[in-house]
Amino acid sequence: ALLANRLIPLDKGEGAVRPIGVGEVLRRIIGKCVMRVTKSDVIGASGSLQVCAGHKSGSEAAVHAMRTIFDADETDAVLLIDASNAFNALNRAAALHNIRVLCPSISTYAINTYRHPARLFIIGGKELSSEEGTTQGDPLAMSLYAISLQPLITRLQLASVAKQCWFADDATGSGSLQDVKQWWDELSTSGPALGYFPNAKKCWLITKPDKENAAKEIFKDTAINITTEGQKHLGAALGSRSYLEQYVGEKVEDWVSQVTRLAEFATSQPQASYAAFVFGLRHSWTYFLRTLPDIHDQMKPLERVISDLLIPSITGHNCSENERDLLALPARLGGLGFTNPSDQAESEYTVSVKMTAPLVRKIVSQAHEPPDDNELRTLHQSVHKEKNGALLKRSENLRNSLSSKSRRAAELAIEKGASSWLTVIPLKDMDYTLTKREFRDAVHLRYDWQINNLPSVCVCGDIFSADHAMICRRGGFIIQRHNELRDLEAEMLNVVCHDVEVEPVLQEITGEVLPRGSNKAPDARLDIHARGFWEKQGSAFFDVRVCHPNAESYKDLTPQQIYRQHENEKKRQYSTRVLEVEQASFTPLVFTTTGGMAEECKRFHSRLAELIAIKKGEQYSTTLSWIRSKVSFAILRSALLCLRGSRSRRREPLNIRDTDFEVDLARNRFVIN
């Protein structure tokens, strides 16, 4: 039962079907654990010419390597192989033998899961028996397939000097026409014994223009297709520039259609559309940007529909050129993640070439040994550091080019925690959903854009604006904002601490000498008390404050200065009293209405995440992200309530039950008609 699978047919396009076996959860967990432990052994056994077994950016390396080989003067052609039903036709007995010899660390698990036929259940109650191949959907499928074909790859190297590269069953051979033909003959002869059956009718030979006639003569006895233009290769394009531009043009046309449909949906569901773009759609073209050179001009139609149609539909705002560049940045750097595919094309391709360079060199030289792990790790760290540095510099330059008002908003948007509400999927069960007006208002508040349909005058008599809404005490929204954050922090503390109390009364002062500025009131209270937070059985007091950084008194202060001012004020009032009288610690929790938080608050959340992660058995980073998301939404909803909530006086309820109508009529001298 553990090895049984539910068979799901997936559409591969062009009428083809990919059968995916969805196994038991326990088997999938075990398989992933085995792969995590044996990954280095699998990569070592598969080598550098089979890039599907765990190499980082393996397919990108294969694309770059084969393009380099094809562009070389000594190369006449590249042969792209398509095998028939490759994963399901693999000779299982030969595969298990090869795995036992080449990668003993994984052989026991492979033999126990594949030596007997697996039961495959399909819709309607029917059952199939899987006796050959690997199960697509098994976490080990790629690794087992890669190791199984190693003897074939070795035999091809001995039989021909053609250069080859494999991604699972997608093989590529290149060199002179005679070498490629010799490589093909050996593949056709030796492949079937291992369950690899090349389908000549679906294979393509891409030749250089002056070699086309010779290629047709040499391959005339095969059914291989021959072209000088180009063909798809591992999702990218290999061949002439004209074919590459045609291929990218077709893709861009499809992406433009998808973005247009998403923009139509965004008019009524902007938050869901934003999540669909950021977490899904924009990644559709990332691989193409990383594997295809010089396509920034071809991506311009896609950029136009994003900037002119999608962004206004989601945000309700027509952006200037500087604003568009700002929105292209990641949310953590003050943007919204609306990447510009045209501007991004060159940098993404350059990063991919740098990161895959060690593996590309191995493929070009046809060396079996994979690249050194330490070299790869150092290179990846260097490339990521360089990429992040470029983003930070770009972010700084963009902020400097904005007006003072917009620059202030952008600086507040890069505060830690200010963008957490943008980095979560809007799940209703998690209370992460916003209405269309709430989402657009939140974006306008983030960038200090003009918000429509607001009253011109507040009920307090002042001119109404977004900044005034955040500080006006009418309606009780300021207190409600404070209380919501206080209750949220107390609720999270209650998970890991004892004796959690909201608004505890401090002990009275009986002779203790407190410094000037301390709160000496007999009924003084703090927001939260908890025991066992900073140290075991130690008492800790916390006090919440939410300030608006765009208030008139803070206009000339940086966010860090604002935080220090409020932290120092809270400490001056309570720190000594808590330390001397309560024998406890005191931590001020200072937030801004834009979602930022002071250093003491960041340390508090780091400690809270650490304690919750230990108790719940979760990762620290995941727990900290969850805390920041909860806090971010609490602040955001409070800000939206301050902006749109009604501050008018509440109507007195009409007490009909205790009203004597005759007395009221006589008192008010009503006339009954």
Side-chain angles (χ1 to χ4, degrees):
L2 181 65
L3 302 179
N5 296 271
R6 186 171 72 255
L7 197 62
I8 304 294
L10 298 181
D11 184 12
K12 291 177 59 177
E14 301 179 356
V17 174
R18 184 186 303 278
I20 299 296
V22 182
E24 294 292 331
V25 174
L26 182 58
R27 180 190 176 185
R28 294 181 60 81
I29 293 174
I30 295 173
K32 290 184 178 182
C33 292
V34 171
M35 270 306 303
R36 184 166 185 173
V37 173
T38 62
K39 182 178 179 179
S40 60
D41 294 337
V42 171
I43 293 177
S46 302
S48 60
L49 301 183
Q50 176 60 280
V51 297
C52 74
H55 289 286
K56 291 184 178 179
S57 305
S59 62
E60 294 178 21
V63 171
H64 295 317
M66 294 315 299
R67 183 177 291 115
T68 300
I69 295 172
F70 181 67
D71 290 341
D73 294 336
E74 63 270 16
T75 301
D76 295 337
V78 171
L79 179 58
L80 307 180
I81 304 298
D82 191 307
S84 299
N85 200 20
F87 276 84
N88 296 320
L90 183 69
N91 187 324
R92 189 173 291 181
L96 293 177
H97 171 76
N98 293 335
I99 292 169
R100 186 168 60 249
V101 173
L102 297 174
C103 191
S105 61
I106 204 175
S107 62
T108 301
Y109 180 81
I111 292 171
N112 287 338
T113 53
Y114 280 100
R115 64 180 171 182
H116 295 300
R119 303 172 67 187
L120 304 177
F121 296 93
I122 59 178
I123 297 176
K126 296 183 179 180
E127 180 181 337
L128 300 177
S129 178
S130 174
E131 300 179 0
E132 294 288 357
T134 61
T135 302
Q136 297 188 65
D138 180 5
L140 265 74
M142 278 289 191
S143 300
L144 299 182
Y145 193 89
I147 300 172
S148 302
L149 292 186
Q150 279 307 300
L152 177 60
I153 296 175
T154 302
R155 183 171 296 183
L156 291 172
Q157 279 189 300
L158 296 175
S160 171
V161 297
K163 295 184 177 181
Q164 60 182 329
C165 182
W166 293 63
F167 186 88
D169 60 312
D170 293 324
T172 310
S174 63
S176 67
L177 291 174
Q178 291 77 11
D179 292 338
V180 173
K181 179 60 165 61
Q182 191 176 8
W183 183 81
W184 162 257
D185 291 340
E186 183 62 31
L187 180 64
S188 302
T189 302
S190 303
L194 295 175
Y196 188 85
F197 301 92
N199 186 350
K201 294 181 179 179
K202 291 186 177 181
C203 296
W204 281 89
L205 181 70
I206 308 171
T207 71
K208 293 181 177 178
D210 58 330
K211 300 293 182 180
E212 182 179 14
N213 293 331
K216 290 181 179 179
E217 178 63 25
I218 293 174
F219 286 86
K220 63 181 180 180
D221 295 331
T222 70
I224 294 175
N225 304 283
I226 299 175
T227 180
T228 60
E229 290 299 313
Q231 277 296 311
K232 292 187 293 184
H233 174 228
L234 298 181
L238 183 61
S240 66
R241 179 67 190 180
S242 60
Y243 176 80
L244 183 149
E245 292 179 354
Q246 176 189 351
Y247 178 62
V248 174
E250 293 173 354
K251 288 292 183 180
V252 168
E253 185 178 348
D254 181 48
W255 293 329
V256 166
S257 175
Q258 293 180 41
V259 172
T260 302
R261 291 198 297 270
L262 185 63
E264 295 173 356
F265 182 70
T267 56
S268 59
Q269 297 291 336
Q271 187 187 18
S273 300
Y274 171 76
F277 179 83
V278 172
F279 295 109
L281 184 56
R282 71 172 181 176
H283 299 294
S284 301
W285 49 80
T286 301
Y287 181 77
F288 293 84
L289 300 181
R290 295 175 65 89
T291 55
L292 300 176
D294 303 324
I295 60 172
H296 54 276
D297 289 337
Q298 284 70 33
M299 302 300 290
K300 286 182 178 179
L302 179 59
E303 161 55 19
R304 282 195 293 270
V305 74
I306 292 173
S307 59
D308 297 342
L309 186 61
L310 182 64
I311 293 178
S313 297
I314 290 178
T315 65
H317 178 79
N318 292 315
C319 299
S320 65
E321 185 175 346
N322 283 342
E323 289 173 340
R324 172 65 187 101
D325 292 338
L326 179 62
L327 297 190
L329 293 171
R332 61 184 172 85
L333 295 180
L336 288 179
F338 285 113
T339 53
N340 185 326
S342 181
D343 291 347
Q344 202 180 15
E346 183 178 354
S347 61
E348 285 291 337
Y349 183 78
T350 302
V351 167
S352 178
V353 170
K354 288 181 179 179
M355 293 186 68
T356 58
L359 183 55
V360 168
R361 287 195 296 269
K362 292 288 186 179
I363 296 173
V364 172
S365 64
Q366 294 291 282
H368 173 79
E369 296 80 11
D372 181 66
D373 285 341
N374 293 328
E375 179 188 3
L376 288 176
R377 191 178 302 109
T378 302
L379 177 62
H380 288 181
Q381 291 174 352
S382 174
V383 172
H384 281 303
K385 184 177 180 180
E386 181 181 345
K387 185 177 180 180
N388 289 334
L391 282 173
L392 288 171
K393 184 176 180 180
R394 184 182 179 191
S395 175
E396 183 179 358
N397 292 337
L398 280 173
R399 292 198 303 273
N400 292 334
S401 66
L402 298 172
S403 64
S404 58
K405 182 180 179 182
S406 299
R407 187 186 310 119
R408 175 74 168 185
E411 290 172 350
L412 293 170
I414 65 175
E415 288 288 304
K416 185 73 71 175
S419 303
S420 296
W421 63 277
L422 290 167
T423 59
V424 297
I425 297 176
L427 300 176
K428 189 173 183 180
D429 292 343
M430 299 291 292
D431 198 25
Y432 288 160
T433 56
L434 300 170
T435 66
K436 56 185 177 181
R437 186 172 72 175
E438 287 175 338
F439 181 80
R440 293 188 177 115
D441 283 349
V443 174
H444 282 64
L445 286 173
R446 176 178 173 86
Y447 296 108
D448 207 6
W449 292 337
Q450 181 179 353
I451 302 176
N452 299 324
N453 301 321
L454 292 180
S456 56
V457 179
C458 181
V459 295
C460 69
D462 289 340
I463 297 176
F464 192 87
S465 65
D467 290 335
H468 175 77
M470 299 301 137
I471 61 176
C472 181
R473 296 188 175 277
R474 294 292 293 270
F477 301 139
I478 305 299
I479 297 175
Q480 185 174 340
R481 178 176 65 197
H482 167 274
N483 292 347
E484 185 165 349
L485 270 174
R486 177 202 64 195
D487 294 342
L488 175 62
E489 300 291 3
E491 184 179 350
M492 291 189 291
L493 279 169
N494 200 41
V495 176
V496 292
C497 294
H498 303 287
D499 192 22
V500 177
E501 184 181 0
V502 174
E503 291 194 351
V505 179
L506 300 181
Q507 298 181 53
E508 293 186 7
I509 301 172
T510 56
E512 294 88 353
V513 178
L514 302 181
R516 184 179 179 182
S518 297
N519 189 335
K520 302 176 183 179
D523 58 346
R525 296 172 179 265
L526 287 173
D527 284 326
I528 308 170
H529 167 266
R531 189 177 296 275
F533 184 76
W534 296 113
E535 57 185 4
K536 288 185 177 180
Q537 297 301 319
S539 290
F541 287 85
F542 308 93
D543 203 57
V544 174
R545 173 169 288 184
V546 186
C547 61
H548 181 55
N550 287 329
E552 194 63 34
S553 56
Y554 302 140
K555 288 289 187 181
D556 298 327
L557 300 179
T558 64
Q560 288 69 30
Q561 290 174 328
I562 297 172
Y563 293 137
R564 281 197 298 269
Q565 177 178 321
H566 286 284
E567 283 184 333
N568 292 338
E569 182 181 345
K570 284 289 184 183
K571 288 180 179 179
R572 185 171 59 252
Q573 291 177 339
Y574 296 105
S575 184
T576 304
R577 179 169 179 174
V578 170
L579 184 63
E580 298 295 336
V581 180
E582 302 292 338
Q583 300 293 306
S585 64
F586 172 69
T587 305
L589 306 180
V590 180
F591 302 88
T592 61
T593 56
T594 55
M597 59 189 75
E599 290 301 320
E600 296 266 5
C601 190
K602 292 176 186 176
R603 284 193 287 270
F604 164 77
H605 282 149
S606 295
R607 175 61 175 167
L608 181 61
E610 180 183 348
L611 294 175
I612 294 178
I614 293 173
K615 182 166 185 177
K616 305 284 287 186
E618 301 285 350
Q619 290 186 352
Y620 168 79
S621 57
T622 303
T623 308
L624 184 58
S625 297
W626 177 80
I627 291 173
R628 286 176 178 167
S629 298
K630 288 293 185 182
V631 172
S632 179
F633 268 91
I635 295 175
L636 178 63
R637 293 187 189 281
S638 299
L640 294 173
L641 181 62
C642 291
L643 182 69
R644 295 287 186 179
S646 174
R647 289 181 168 82
S648 60
R649 291 185 177 181
R650 297 180 180 178
R651 296 181 178 178
E652 293 290 338
L654 186 61
N655 187 359
I656 299 179
R657 177 176 298 178
D658 299 330
T659 300
D660 189 319
F661 294 110
E662 292 185 1
V663 172
D664 271 7
L665 288 174
R667 181 183 302 166
N668 293 286
R669 298 180 181 178
F670 288 162
V671 177
I672 302 177
N673 294 326

